[in-house]
Amino acid sequence: MDKHLFADNILNWYAKNKRDLPWRHTNNPYLIWLSEVILQQTRVKQGLPYYEKFVETYPTVKDLAEADEQSVLRLWQGLGYYSRARNLHAAAKFVHEELEGKFPEDYQELLKMKGVGKYTASAIASFAYNEKVAVVDGNVFRVLARVFGIATDIASHKGAKEFEVLANSLLPDQQADEYNQGIMEFGALQCTPQKPNCMYCPMQSGCVAFQQGKQKELPVKIKKLKIKNRYFHYLIFEYQKNGEVFLGMKERTAKDIWSGLYDFWLEEKPALQTTEALLGENGWDDKLTSKWVIGKQSVAYKHILTHQRIQATFHHIEIPAEQAGTEFFSDLHFFKPDEIVDLPKPVLIDNYLNKNFF
Ligand code: SF4
């Protein structure tokens, strides 16, 4: 298909079909950046309330920079991929402290922000400043692969380069912002992964995939995700004092999922186990464990992440109040349930607490 015709089709289609979304009414780079980071790996319907919460709580980059990380993570809770929230916060601090609050104004400068890769930098540069640089995300790969009949693996280095060059060659001289938003919207609504609406598509006559019936085969993505199975055993250590319950929670600090969020004492094993088997296996000091009262063990909860399938069980153990301050429990912080509400937590933990304590 002729490149000018392709761009015209995108712009015309977008003018008629675009969704009315709040970040499309602004060219404030901070707000556009927020929306882009929130919407990565997230559907618009799910991301929209988070965007609204963030804009309300942190209306400027200065507000976000001055927030503490725990509050940012708490607001982010439920969106997953928490490193995005930490990078967002770190980058806001960078803009506020190193750049004196002046948001970077072009593609190359935007790339210097933590967590901002080629895609996000081109989105901000084109949407906020109308810079002529193409966005290439999953939607763009799909549309280009189908319309131009390109079978290069999009997960390969060669494919990434080839699509980037093509995408940039298609950008019209004017309206980089509208065009970039348009091609992504076109991929999200018209040329969708499973059921592209080819019957009513302006690209139909020049689309290789449509002409050759290859919509299902394009784009080609060879790399397969390896899914790892993990078995989490959460020990919920709790004690009662003056009629109040205290639960032991732990901040996750390791380089692993959910870093910076709070969960319970975690034992990870190659399979699911009973509380008794867990305690027996750990060989902890009898003087300590003989005073513990083993409570209920939950059913296994399944929690699916992109690369991991987690099965988690919760094991309730009541300990004497005086043990809570001992060396053995030094990694735990004991909180009353109403204090836990404000802690940032993985959704798996939040759901369990809501069901059992709040
Ligand atoms: S004709 Fe079908 S495959 Fe081609 S761009 Fe349109 S929706 Fe996508």
Side-chain angles (χ1 to χ4, degrees), residues 53 79 82 134 181 227 315:
K53 272 194 296 182
L79 262 182
Y82 290 87
Q181 302 211 45
I227 304 283
H315 306 257

Side-chain angles (χ1 to χ4, degrees), residues 27-42:
N27 53 10
N28 178 330
Y30 166 67
L31 299 181
I32 290 167
W33 171 54
L34 266 186
S35 71
E36 286 302 327
V37 177
I38 288 170
L39 291 177
Q40 280 165 28
Q41 325 267 357
T42 304

Side-chain angles (χ1 to χ4, degrees), residues 171-209:
L171 264 177
D173 287 332
Q174 313 289 328
Q175 293 180 280
D177 52 350
E178 291 284 296
Y179 170 83
N180 273 342
Q181 302 211 45
I183 190 168
M184 289 198 293
E185 190 82 331
F186 184 81
L189 302 181
Q190 180 84 26
C191 193
T192 55
Q194 303 306 332
K195 285 188 185 156
N197 185 6
C198 300
M199 271 325 165
Y200 301 96
C201 179
M203 303 287 184
Q204 205 192 63
S205 61
C207 174
V208 174

